[in-house]
Amino acid sequence: MNLTFTSSLQLGTLYGLSIGPGDPELITLKALRLLKSAPIIAYPAGLNGQPGLAQKAISQWLSSNQTQVPLHFPYVQDPQALKAAWSRAAETLLPFLQDGKDVAFACEGDVSLYSTFSYLAAAVKNSSKYIAITTVPGITSSLAAAAQLGWPLTQQQQGLAIIPALYAQDNLQVLDAALGWAETLVLLKINRAYPLIWNWLARHNLLRYAAVVERATQPEQLIYQDLRDQQDLKLSYFSLLIVKRCGL
């Protein structure tokens, strides 16, 4: 879909709102203000008809005057399927933006860190270069998990590496390289890769200095520390691991 309007036409703005890891109180004041004022609220749809994490986190702040638009994104790694989903989502939001209505897309974590919003924004921009896009930063799951553990992620001159564990499961050299310069590693989406990562931690004698946080700040939050006896954890999608190479 392409727009032929000139830049002088009053179009809506697409806002990417970082709503944090799940605790509704961890949204920023700016994101909350935009969330309450935008006439159109979009968010990733949950699975099996259930509300997703972003929808649950913002539900108490929404009013009946706002139009809610759940957008469907498949949980797959197929580039073509993902690209098609981003294009469909952009086409869903474009009529609102063309009509001069602001759209706030609420996304868990931070919209600039491994976020669906970056792809959605690119698809919207590809359809119309005149639509303004604004991102609002927020609290990432990495920061939330460290706070729940009471661990500083970094101190003084220490390095920090944040890596999606799913993409490293077939290439442990990525983790080996990061371990060479970063004192703290955060491995995101650890669930499917956990058995492989556990063995990698064991080889490097790091199990006692690692912890898994599942659904950080949410009511269902679980924390596993000192992983030496935690080889067979069954983790959900929203799980991450923090390991401190220099000890705790």
Side-chain angles (χ1 to χ4, degrees), residues 71-191:
L71 300 173
H72 295 272
F73 302 103
Y75 289 86
V76 299
Q77 300 302 315
D78 179 14
Q80 294 302 317
L82 290 170
K83 185 176 181 180
W86 300 327
S87 296
R88 287 193 299 270
E91 291 174 0
T92 299
L93 299 182
L94 277 170
F96 299 113
L97 296 164
Q98 293 177 33
D99 198 34
K101 296 178 180 177
D102 292 340
V103 176
F105 180 82
C107 191
E108 61 269 12
D110 183 279
V111 292
S112 297
L113 186 68
Y114 300 114
S115 169
T116 300
F117 178 75
S118 59
Y119 302 102
L120 173 62
V124 169
K125 191 60 102 174
N126 186 57
S127 295
S128 174
K129 63 181 180 180
Y130 297 119
I131 292 176
I133 297 174
T134 299
T135 59
V136 179
I139 297 174
T140 69
S141 59
S142 305
L143 298 175
Q148 296 300 304
L149 290 168
W151 292 4
L153 278 181
T154 57
Q155 293 176 303
Q156 297 180 345
Q157 304 301 314
Q158 294 177 349
L160 169 67
I162 300 177
I163 304 170
L166 178 63
Y167 306 126
Q169 63 181 339
D170 296 323
N171 185 10
L172 291 179
Q173 292 179 348
V174 173
L175 301 184
D176 291 335
L179 197 61
W181 62 267
E183 282 75 16
T184 303
L185 275 67
V186 178
L187 306 183
L188 306 175
K189 300 176 182 176
I190 193 72
N191 56 323

Side-chain angles (χ1 to χ4, degrees), residues 11-17 31-44 58 61-71 89-107 117 120 124 134:
L11 299 173
T13 296
L14 175 62
Y15 292 97
L17 303 186
L32 182 58
R33 173 177 60 81
L34 293 169
L35 183 68
K36 289 182 174 181
S37 63
I40 311 298
I41 306 298
Y43 43 74
I58 66 174
W61 309 119
L62 303 182
S63 72
S64 58
N65 296 326
Q66 294 172 296
T67 299
Q68 298 186 40
V69 183
L71 300 173
E91 291 174 0
T92 299
L93 299 182
L94 277 170
F96 299 113
L97 296 164
Q98 293 177 33
D99 198 34
K101 296 178 180 177
D102 292 340
V103 176
F105 180 82
C107 191
F117 178 75
L120 173 62
V124 169
T134 299

Side-chain angles (χ1 to χ4, degrees), residues 223-236:
I223 293 178
Y224 306 93
Q225 292 184 256
D226 190 346
L227 302 179
R228 285 176 290 183
D229 296 322
Q230 306 282 1
Q231 185 173 6
D232 300 318
L233 293 181
K234 304 301 181 183
L235 302 170
S236 64

